Amino acid sequence: MAHRPKRTFRQRAADSSDSDGAEESPAEPRVPREVAAPGSAEEGPPSGGGRARVAGRPHRVRGPRGRGRVWASSRRAKEAAPRADEGSESRVLDVSTDEEDEIHHSSESKGDQGLSSDSSSSLGEKELSSTVKIPDAAFIQAARRKRELARAQDDYISLDVEHTSTVSDMKRESEDDPESEPDDHEKRIPFTLKPQTFRQRMAEESISRNEETSEESQEDEKQDIWERQQMRKAVKIIEERDIDLSRGSGSSKVKKFDTSISFTPVNLEIIKKQLNTRLTLLQETHRSHLREYEKYVQDVKSSKSTIQNLESSSNQALNCKFYKSMKIYVENLIDCLNEKIINIQEIESSMHALLLKQAMTFMKRRQDELKHESTYLQQLSRKDETSTSGNLAVDEKTQWILEEIESRRTKRRQARMLSGNCNHQEGTSSDDELPSAEMTDFQKSQGDILQKQKKVFEDVHDDFCNIQNILLKFQQWREKFPDSYYEAFISLCIPKLLNPLVRVQLIDWNPLKLDSTGLKEMPWFKSVEEFMDSSVEDSKKESSSDKKILSTIINKTIIPRLTDFVEFLWDPLSASQTTNLITHCRVILEEHSICENEVSKSKQDLLKSIVSRMKKAVEDDVFIPLYPKSAVENKTSPHSKFQERQFWSGLKLFHNILLWNGLLTDDTLQELGLGKLLNRYLIIALLNATPGPDVVKKCNQVAACLPEKWFENSATRTSIPQLENFIQFLLQSAHKLSRSEFRDKVEEIILILVKIKALNQAESFIGEHHLDHLKSLIKKD
């Protein structure tokens, strides 16, 4: 529906044919209002001093009104026609209001003719178009010239008629002669506005009043148009309604008076059947409603029981308070640990650097001493480099190193004599003594680090640094709300929370030392065990996640630290370090290993580092020189002593390697101990030695190092393939000893062959040498 414009109740003036154009108010047009054609009006602001001027195109004329189009009255159109018949040449220019209104209304009547003809078809006002006449070309030309003259004369029209005519003639001549017009560069360019005259100001005020009047007239016209549109729509709706009513009444009449329609005959059976059908439907509906009612009743009962259960359960406010306090506690604990972890890492690095410096000192000293002593013995074996007095000229550094070596050996011999250990062999000592000054510095640095360790949690409450108190908080959670405890996977979070606290306790832990604290004696180990034992889980959850907390801590915290000791600090030639390390590794890898089906990457890394470190020791630290028999026949000679020490050092490494039996695979140990060390170094040294009691003793030591597990389930009467070279050396030694004064040592060799399951070789040797009294040794086995 069209928007209804605002209605203005303004009294319209009546038409008067005797009034003049100057006397008529421009806000009261006499012609009936018509709809303005779009685009027919050309709007623009008044120019100059507000006087009307001719537009750019000659057939458009602008009146004194500034905006919009005001429709010309029929009376003014009638007055414009006789004026157009008069000669425009004899007409004088006048700036009166009558002349301006005449020009304005004559120009607008030209545009009003087309619009009035269009609107006459819709409004039925044909008599108006017959009274409007179009001015002729002469009249329009005269009006144009008047305005041009007014523009040429300082923007106002003079009252002097003669002067005006002269100016008009000059203007006409200038029009006839286009060459007389000044060029663009000769024209005067105004830069300021000229002062307005009284007449110009009056004209501006008249224009503003005319604009207001034109707006009011346009509103009246829109109001009339809207009313006519509404009237048309109302008439159209009424006509359509009458047509529908007439059609509906006609169809009802047809149905009412249609006698051709036949109805089905009705009797009591049909009515009864329909009533029964209807009754059945109603009964089914009633039963469905009953079922729904019963369901709703059950829902209400269950809701009431749920409400009672919730009311009878623990107070939700207390539960919320507990969860909130637990959340705040965990957040504060995490903030505390995040702040302290930096100090913990620094202290760990300091301790690791101190121990690494000491381990590198021992390793470098052993390698340097081995190098200098071997060089000295090589020089000693060359007779041409000796002096006349029989002494060897050596440099001062080598002499000082040799003296230091002998001094430490003397001290160790004295210590063994005091302890009553007389079966010790030279070369099996670890040689890990430090000078007193270096030992003092080491102990001082270690004490400073331990003091820093004690100050890490000096400013922290026990609830945030004591593992037992922390686990007690989570134990309370597990006891009060086990469901939420296990749904939150707390067992996966506890090892991460305890990691910094466990690392602090491990700063002073050295698994290579004999007096190191075992894992089971550590406070954190006991606290975690108690937490696991106090689990409130039922029997159906025996394999719960809480049972894996200890193994997770070991695999995430203990094993990586143990791996660092193996890679950087462990000396495989040291029997004490190897024994202590194996003890801790057995506790970690066997007693507290994770599930069998689960693969631990940290465990694999630890075993790989152990194997890698032993390989490096075999390649870098084993050196058994071979000297002429003349140089080693004398057991007191430096060459013989040095060779003996190096053999027993290699045999010590062989023993340390095979101690890993049960932790490392048999193939790995056989490759390292038998393939790389026994067959490559020890057998060659034994072959170079003279058969006798010393050789048999060494062979017994080699056989004692071999794990008995390798020979328990031997299905055949032969030993493992890697011992074939060792078995052949035993047979050769037995042949030589059977023909020498040490025939009683053959029995020991037969026992060695039986121990390593070389039964076929032992029987053949006994039968070959007719040693029937030794057959009982094989049968006992």
Side-chain angles (χ1 to χ4, degrees):
M1 184 174 181
H3 178 68
R4 180 175 183 177
K6 184 179 180 182
R7 179 76 179 221
T8 56
F9 298 92
R10 180 175 55 84
Q11 186 178 0
R12 302 179 185 177
D15 294 345
S16 177
S17 59
D18 298 334
S19 61
D20 192 14
E23 298 173 358
E24 181 183 357
S25 175
E28 298 177 358
R30 305 293 179 147
V31 67
R33 289 180 297 275
E34 298 176 0
V35 180
S40 62
E42 183 176 349
E43 298 179 2
S47 62
R51 304 179 66 89
R53 296 184 181 180
V54 181
R57 290 177 289 182
H59 64 280
R60 297 286 179 96
V61 180
R62 291 188 181 180
R65 294 171 178 80
R67 292 183 303 175
R69 178 184 292 277
V70 180
W71 296 93
S73 64
S74 60
R75 183 182 62 80
R76 291 190 178 183
K78 293 178 182 178
E79 292 177 356
R83 290 178 184 177
D85 295 337
E86 298 178 0
S88 60
E89 292 83 358
S90 63
R91 200 171 295 161
V92 251
L93 294 173
D94 192 2
V95 290
S96 64
T97 310
D98 295 337
E99 291 295 329
E100 290 180 355
D101 292 342
E102 179 182 357
I103 296 170
H104 168 69
H105 290 293
S106 62
S107 61
E108 287 189 349
S109 63
K110 180 180 178 181
D112 294 341
Q113 183 178 4
L115 295 173
S116 61
S117 62
D118 296 334
S119 62
S120 62
S121 59
S122 60
L123 303 176
E125 297 177 2
K126 297 181 180 180
E127 64 277 3
L128 179 62
S129 62
S130 63
T131 60
V132 179
K133 293 183 181 181
I134 300 174
D136 57 355
F139 184 81
I140 295 173
Q141 186 68 21
R144 185 185 298 115
R145 288 179 179 176
K146 287 179 182 180
R147 280 191 281 278
E148 290 175 354
L149 289 174
R151 192 180 300 112
Q153 295 179 0
D154 294 337
D155 211 8
Y156 70 93
I157 301 175
S158 176
L159 299 176
D160 188 2
V161 178
E162 294 180 357
H163 178 72
T164 304
S165 302
T166 306
V167 174
S168 176
D169 295 339
M170 291 173 63
K171 184 66 178 178
R172 188 181 299 108
E173 291 176 0
S174 64
E175 289 178 357
D176 297 337
D177 189 8
E179 297 180 358
S180 63
E181 295 182 359
D183 297 337
D184 294 338
H185 65 277
E186 295 177 356
K187 292 181 180 179
R188 180 180 296 175
I189 302 174
F191 291 96
T192 60
L193 297 176
K194 295 181 179 180
Q196 295 180 349
T197 61
F198 177 75
R199 194 176 290 276
Q200 290 174 348
R201 291 195 297 272
M202 291 297 292
E204 289 182 356
E205 293 179 0
S206 176
I207 289 171
S208 62
R209 289 195 296 272
N210 292 338
E211 289 178 354
E212 294 177 357
T213 305
S214 64
E215 291 178 357
E216 293 178 357
S217 62
Q218 288 179 1
E219 291 179 358
D220 293 339
E221 292 171 1
K222 292 180 180 179
Q223 180 69 26
D224 294 339
I225 293 170
W226 183 83
E227 290 176 356
R228 286 193 291 272
Q229 290 177 352
Q230 299 303 319
M231 290 297 293
R232 291 195 202 100
K233 291 180 180 179
V235 171
K236 186 176 180 181
I237 292 171
I238 292 171
E239 291 177 354
E240 292 178 354
R241 188 180 304 167
D242 294 340
I243 293 172
D244 295 338
L245 290 174
S246 61
R247 291 179 180 176
S249 61
S251 62
S252 63
K253 289 178 182 179
V254 171
K255 291 181 180 179
K256 183 175 182 181
F257 297 101
D258 189 4
T259 58
S260 61
I261 298 175
S262 60
F263 296 96
T264 305
V266 179
N267 53 23
L268 293 177
E269 295 295 333
I270 295 174
I271 295 173
K272 183 178 180 181
K273 184 178 180 180
Q274 291 180 353
L275 289 176
N276 290 332
T277 304
R278 178 65 175 168
L279 179 61
T280 304
L281 293 175
L282 291 176
Q283 289 176 352
E284 291 179 357
T285 304
H286 178 66
R287 284 193 294 270
S288 64
H289 290 169
L290 287 177
R291 287 192 296 269
E292 291 180 0
Y293 173 75
E294 292 176 356
K295 179 182 178 182
Y296 294 150
V297 171
Q298 293 296 330
D299 292 341
V300 171
K301 290 182 180 179
S302 62
S303 300
K304 289 181 180 180
S305 62
T306 303
I307 292 172
Q308 292 177 358
N309 293 333
L310 291 176
E311 290 177 352
S312 62
S313 62
S314 59
N315 193 352
Q316 296 298 324
L318 296 177
N319 298 346
C320 181
K321 184 178 180 181
F322 173 80
Y323 286 126
K324 186 176 181 180
S325 63
M326 199 67 192
K327 176 178 177 294
I328 295 173
Y329 172 77
V330 172
E331 289 178 352
N332 294 334
L333 177 62
I334 293 174
D335 293 340
C336 174
L337 297 178
N338 288 336
E339 182 179 351
K340 298 297 183 179
I341 192 65
I342 299 176
N343 296 335
I344 295 173
Q345 291 176 350
E346 292 178 354
I347 296 173
E348 282 182 338
S349 300
S350 301
M351 181 62 75
H352 182 77
L354 181 64
L355 296 177
L356 179 62
K357 180 180 178 182
Q358 186 186 44
M360 295 302 295
T361 300
F362 290 146
M363 187 177 300
K364 188 175 183 301
R365 186 181 69 180
R366 181 173 65 239
Q367 293 177 353
D368 290 343
E369 290 176 353
L370 180 63
K371 179 180 178 181
H372 285 84
E373 191 171 5
S374 175
T375 304
Y376 169 74
L377 293 175
Q378 287 179 359
Q379 294 177 359
L380 188 62
S381 62
R382 300 171 186 173
K383 299 297 183 180
D384 56 337
E385 295 180 0
T386 55
S387 60
T388 56
S389 60
N391 296 327
L392 180 64
V394 294
D395 56 354
E396 295 180 358
K397 183 178 180 180
T398 303
Q399 186 67 31
W400 178 80
I401 290 175
L402 294 176
E403 291 177 357
E404 285 290 328
I405 295 173
E406 190 61 31
S407 175
R408 291 197 303 273
R409 288 172 184 166
T410 303
K411 291 181 180 180
R412 288 196 293 271
R413 291 192 196 100
Q414 294 175 357
R416 288 194 296 271
M417 289 176 65
L418 294 175
S419 62
N421 185 10
C422 301
N423 296 326
H424 182 78
Q425 297 293 331
E426 291 288 342
T428 58
S429 300
S430 298
D431 195 12
D432 52 359
E433 298 88 358
L434 282 175
S436 58
E438 294 182 7
M439 181 60 67
T440 303
D441 294 340
F442 175 80
Q443 292 177 352
K444 182 177 181 302
S445 300
Q446 189 177 23
D448 295 340
I449 294 172
L450 295 180
Q451 288 296 326
K452 293 180 181 179
Q453 173 198 3
K454 295 178 181 179
K455 295 180 180 179
V456 172
F457 292 104
E458 189 178 24
D459 57 343
V460 180
H461 195 270
D462 288 343
D463 290 341
F464 299 95
C465 63
N466 191 300
I467 294 178
Q468 187 174 3
N469 294 348
I470 294 173
L471 293 177
L472 185 60
K473 294 282 186 179
F474 290 101
Q475 183 177 349
Q476 293 175 358
W477 185 0
R478 185 177 61 188
E479 292 175 353
K480 291 182 178 180
F481 311 102
D483 294 337
S484 62
Y485 173 85
Y486 292 111
E487 288 176 359
F489 298 99
I490 300 301
S491 59
L492 300 179
C493 303
I494 289 178
K496 295 181 180 180
L497 291 175
L498 300 183
N499 176 268
L501 302 174
V502 173
R503 288 167 62 181
V504 170
Q505 297 185 20
L506 293 178
I507 289 176
D508 191 28
W509 181 61
N510 189 348
L512 305 178
K513 293 174 63 177
L514 182 61
D515 57 347
S516 63
T517 306
L519 291 179
K520 292 184 178 182
E521 287 75 24
M522 290 186 177
W524 67 267
F525 192 95
K526 296 178 180 179
S527 300
V528 173
E529 275 191 334
E530 292 177 0
F531 178 78
M532 292 169 55
D533 295 338
S534 62
S535 176
V536 295
E537 296 175 305
D538 54 9
S539 59
K540 295 181 180 179
K541 297 182 178 179
E542 292 180 355
S543 60
S544 66
S545 54
D546 280 356
K547 299 298 181 181
K548 301 179 182 178
I549 292 177
L550 183 58
S551 61
T552 304
I553 294 176
I554 290 175
N555 283 278
K556 298 296 183 181
T557 306
I558 307 301
I559 292 181
R561 182 166 179 82
L562 201 61
T563 304
D564 292 338
F565 274 96
V566 171
E567 290 182 355
F568 304 104
L569 305 178
W570 175 43
D571 182 13
L573 288 174
S574 174
S576 60
Q577 291 186 10
T578 303
T579 303
N580 297 329
L581 182 62
I582 290 174
T583 302
H584 291 290
C585 287
R586 290 190 185 279
V587 173
I588 292 172
L589 300 178
E590 290 182 357
E591 296 186 14
H592 300 283
S593 61
I594 55 177
C595 299
E596 297 179 359
N597 297 331
E598 187 177 355
V599 179
S600 173
K601 183 178 181 300
S602 58
K603 179 180 177 181
Q604 293 179 352
D605 293 340
L606 175 61
L607 297 179
K608 288 180 181 179
S609 62
I610 292 172
V611 175
S612 176
R613 184 65 186 92
M614 289 191 297
K615 285 182 179 179
K616 189 174 185 298
V618 171
E619 295 173 356
D620 298 344
D621 297 330
V622 177
F623 174 69
I624 303 176
L626 299 178
Y627 296 113
K629 289 186 178 182
S630 58
V632 297
E633 283 179 354
N634 185 7
K635 300 299 181 183
T636 60
S637 65
H639 300 83
S640 178
K641 291 181 180 181
F642 181 71
Q643 189 182 53
E644 286 293 314
R645 286 195 299 269
Q646 291 304 115
F647 176 84
W648 286 107
S649 176
L651 186 60
K652 180 182 178 181
L653 179 60
F654 178 75
H655 174 262
N656 293 341
I657 291 174
L658 296 182
L659 284 177
W660 290 97
N661 177 41
L663 297 177
L664 299 178
T665 61
D666 294 341
D667 295 337
T668 303
L669 293 178
Q670 290 173 7
E671 179 185 359
L672 282 174
L674 303 182
K676 293 183 177 297
L677 185 54
L678 178 62
N679 295 331
R680 232 180 246 187
Y681 295 98
L682 300 181
I683 296 295
I684 295 176
L686 290 174
L687 290 173
N688 193 42
T690 303
D694 293 338
V695 173
V696 175
K697 182 180 179 180
K698 293 176 182 177
C699 292
N700 278 321
Q701 291 294 327
V702 171
C705 296
L706 298 175
E708 296 180 357
K709 187 182 68 173
W710 291 358
F711 312 105
E712 288 178 354
N713 300 323
S714 179
T716 61
R717 298 171 62 85
T718 58
S719 184
I720 56 179
Q722 287 84 353
L723 290 177
E724 187 63 29
N725 294 333
F726 182 60
I727 293 171
Q728 294 297 327
F729 171 75
L730 291 176
L731 294 175
Q732 292 178 9
S733 300
H735 283 293
K736 293 179 180 180
L737 291 174
S738 62
R739 295 189 296 269
S740 65
E741 57 184 351
F742 304 107
R743 291 177 59 89
D744 55 339
K745 297 296 180 182
V746 175
E747 184 177 355
E748 295 184 14
I749 295 178
I750 298 298
L751 291 175
I752 295 173
L753 292 174
V754 172
K755 181 180 180 180
I756 62 177
K757 295 298 180 179
L759 301 179
N760 294 334
Q761 291 86 343
E763 288 180 354
S764 62
F765 178 81
I766 292 173
E768 181 181 355
H769 291 81
H770 306 287
L771 302 175
D772 297 335
H773 62 283
L774 298 178
K775 290 183 180 181
S776 60
L777 299 176
I778 301 176
K779 292 179 181 180
K780 287 181 182 181
D781 186 77

